[in-house]
Amino acid sequence: MKDILVIEGGQPLYGNVHISGAKNAGLVLIAASIMAEGETILDNVPRICDVEVMVQILNEMGVKAFWNEDDSLSIIPPATTVKTQTPYELAKKLRASNLFLGALLGRQGEAIVSLPGGCDIGSRPMDLHLKGAQALGADIDIEHGYIYARALQMHGSRVYLDFPSVGATENIMMMAVKTPGLSIIENAAKEPEIVDLANFLNSMGGKIRGAGTDLIKIEGVPVLNACRYTIIPDRIEAGTYMIAAAITGGEVLVENVIPTHLHPIVAKLQETGATVQETEQGLLVKGGQRILPADIKTLPYPGFPTDMQSQMMALLSLAEGTSVIVENVFENRFQIVDELKRMGAKIKLEGHSAIVEGTPSLYGARVKATDLRAGAALVLSALAARGETTIEEAIHIFRGYEDIETKLKSLGAKIK
Ligand code: EPU
């Protein structure tokens, strides 16, 4: 796959765009599928690099995983045990590989999981995941870059999360779903992807209540039976295309979305002067005559998502006035700033805050995608900028956006 995107800016985007399945739901459901007996079939899985790496990890573990002609993904674990170790060379490529900790412990009481890689957006510790595993009866050792988790007998337990971590909540749900007794997660993450995982596990016979609130109760069941399940649409991909409409002053119908998942994004987009209208097919976004400044604070769901912070910064760098963006989730998510400045943005950093002084226009430049969402923000800036932008290390963007080139081209963007 080519690693460079070249965009000629200045074209307002018009048309319809179909949103793919959610990356972060797809990744965790793929991991959870190894706990089922029989063939799981997942529909609406996005064909993105991160998913392909998860599929490779499954194959290395001795789990059959393959794409069907109708684009669904089949996952068939063996009747006996799977390999309990995630291979470092693959695991280092994505943070979500840590989700095999919960899936493997839940399936067979043992997991050897490489300390994960993924986007360089902060220190991303695993303490809360491990706190959950220990509470449910696992012994943990960390050696040579691996987490060794073993349990002779897991048991239901209560776990309080100091922060509503998405990954820790998911891992503990997977550990607990087949563990005898009642497990309770307090201060659980409430993201839609957590609800999707609970719905998926419940479709297989799991007993999970309260997903989507901060108190999740899981009653262990002895067996999960494989099912066919459709993954929710990707709210971050949807938000990115909504900003594409706003930043170029175009009009885009974003199809296949769950509007409630997008409320925090819609609210902020409207503050910047864009019009967002809910229709039967999706959300119709119209760019305003002017882009207005807005202040943003990233927070766990239903707060404004950290995964949309960089894209919003791209939009606000063209606003008529000054905006303040506070990043509360990942400390390193401002690497985008230096790249945006290369395109003429005026942004100052003060600790966890970015002060974005809007400028009337951006210009094309040679820039580098430092992580997935920073890459998406550069695409947005490039679409609005005067002249040509070359985005290097675009592989980060392909990790999370299915067919981005085709989708943007169909809206009239000049991208290759
Ligand atoms: N944290 C801890 N200890 C832990 C776990 C997390 O201190 O044991 C902290 C992190 O350092 C961070 C905060 O908690 O400051 C939030 O991390 P969280 O665990 O919620 O994030 P994650 O599970 O690693 C998922 C998504 C991210 C998304 C975050 C927040 C997946 C595969 N990744 O990561 O998605 O930003 O939740 O919503 O689900 C992306 O798609 O671009 C992306 C990075």
Side-chain angles (χ1 to χ4, degrees):
M1 188 176 287
K2 294 273 192 307
D3 205 10
I4 286 183
L5 280 176
V6 181
I7 296 173
E8 178 72 36
Q11 301 293 322
L13 300 192
Y14 287 101
N16 302 9
V17 64
H18 183 88
I19 297 306
S20 302
K23 168 178 87 79
N24 289 344
L27 295 175
V28 70
L29 265 60
I30 289 173
S33 299
I34 70 165
M35 292 193 292
E37 296 194 1
E39 176 176 357
T40 297
I41 302 179
L42 296 175
D43 289 301
N44 207 28
V45 184
R47 295 291 290 260
I48 49 176
C49 297
D50 273 12
V51 163
E52 299 297 350
V53 175
M54 283 300 265
V55 169
Q56 283 174 34
I57 294 179
L58 288 183
N59 288 326
E60 291 278 323
M61 288 164 73
V63 176
K64 274 194 209 151
F66 53 88
W67 297 97
N68 298 305
E69 273 180 12
D70 63 359
D71 272 343
S72 60
L73 178 66
S74 281
I75 298 174
I76 314 173
T80 53
T81 53
V82 301
K83 268 193 218 158
T84 44
Q85 182 158 347
T86 57
Y88 171 73
E89 281 308 321
L90 293 172
K92 73 174 181 190
K93 294 187 182 172
L94 84 167
R95 167 85 180 168
S97 58
N98 72 20
L99 296 166
F100 285 111
L101 174 69
L104 281 166
L105 269 179
R107 180 189 157 98
Q108 53 199 49
E110 182 174 10
I112 306 172
V113 179
S114 173
L115 285 168
C119 281
D120 180 17
I121 54 179
S123 77
R124 308 187 86 176
M126 292 277 294
D127 55 319
L128 301 173
H129 306 238
L130 301 183
K131 182 177 173 183
Q134 282 166 326
L136 270 68
D139 289 324
I140 304 287
D141 287 306
I142 299 183
E143 273 173 24
H144 311 298
Y146 280 90
I147 297 168
Y148 292 78
R150 280 190 197 88
L152 282 180
Q153 180 68 60
M154 306 265 285
H155 50 77
S157 185
R158 183 178 279 266
V159 186
Y160 171 80
L161 297 181
D162 304 280
F163 184 91
S165 153
V166 172
T169 304
E170 292 170 342
N171 256 334
I172 298 167
M173 284 163 71
M174 290 188 283
M175 288 169 204
V177 68
K178 288 179 71 185
T179 291
L182 178 69
S183 296
I184 297 180
I185 311 175
E186 293 173 325
N187 198 26
K190 297 185 281 201
E191 271 67 3
E193 293 75 18
I194 303 281
V195 178
D196 212 31
L197 174 62
N199 289 341
F200 174 58
L201 292 172
N202 287 346
S203 304
M204 301 199 292
K207 288 190 180 166
I208 301 176
R209 283 170 294 144
T213 76
D214 54 13
L215 192 81
I216 302 181
K217 293 185 178 169
I218 307 141
E219 235 176 278
V221 295
V223 179
L224 294 177
N225 291 305
C227 67
R228 184 161 192 154
Y229 189 86
T230 302
I231 289 167
I232 53 167
D234 196 307
R235 63 197 164 100
I236 305 300
E237 190 199 17
T240 304
Y241 284 101
M242 288 163 73
I243 294 188
I247 203 168
T248 61
E251 183 174 327
V252 174
L253 178 65
V254 182
E255 295 174 331
N256 184 38
V257 294
I258 299 178
T260 46
H261 294 172
L262 287 156
H263 279 170
I265 299 168
V266 169
K268 281 294 155 187
L269 211 48
Q270 285 171 332
E271 272 184 42
T272 67
T275 314
V276 183
Q277 191 191 335
E278 200 174 319
T279 73
E280 258 177 40
Q281 293 81 36
L283 294 176
L284 180 66
V285 184
K286 271 189 217 167
Q289 295 289 335
R290 310 150 59 201
I291 299 171
L292 306 173
D295 292 339
I296 307 272
K297 276 196 178 96
T298 66
L299 284 171
Y301 190 84
F304 189 85
T306 174
D307 292 345
M308 284 300 299
Q309 184 259 101
S310 304
Q311 300 90 313
M312 207 65 195
M313 183 182 280
L315 178 68
L316 294 173
S317 63
L318 285 164
E320 289 181 11
T322 301
S323 310
V324 178
I325 300 179
V326 184
E327 173 56 60
N328 291 309
V329 182
F330 287 116
E331 74 269 19
N332 211 10
R333 249 198 170 152
F334 283 143
Q335 293 184 69
I336 175 73
V337 169
D338 285 341
E339 303 302 314
L340 284 179
K341 280 175 155 173
R342 294 173 60 79
M343 301 179 71
K346 292 185 183 158
I347 307 170
K348 260 195 314 199
L349 284 182
E350 282 180 16
H352 288 280
S353 303
I355 294 127
V356 186
E357 194 192 320
T359 164
S361 62
L362 296 172
Y363 40 80
R366 212 175 170 95
V367 289
K368 187 175 82 181
T370 50
D371 67 63
L372 163 60
R373 306 304 171 188
L378 291 174
V379 169
L380 294 171
S381 307
L383 290 170
R386 281 183 283 118
E388 186 179 278
T389 298
T390 300
I391 305 175
E392 293 175 357
E393 298 189 26
I395 186 76
H396 285 291
I397 302 167
F398 308 136
R399 286 186 47 202
Y401 289 88
E402 185 176 49
D403 293 336
I404 187 164
E405 187 184 337
T406 319
K407 288 187 187 186
L408 284 173
K409 266 192 185 144
S410 77
L411 297 173
K414 292 190 177 160
I415 176 170
K416 59 181 184 199

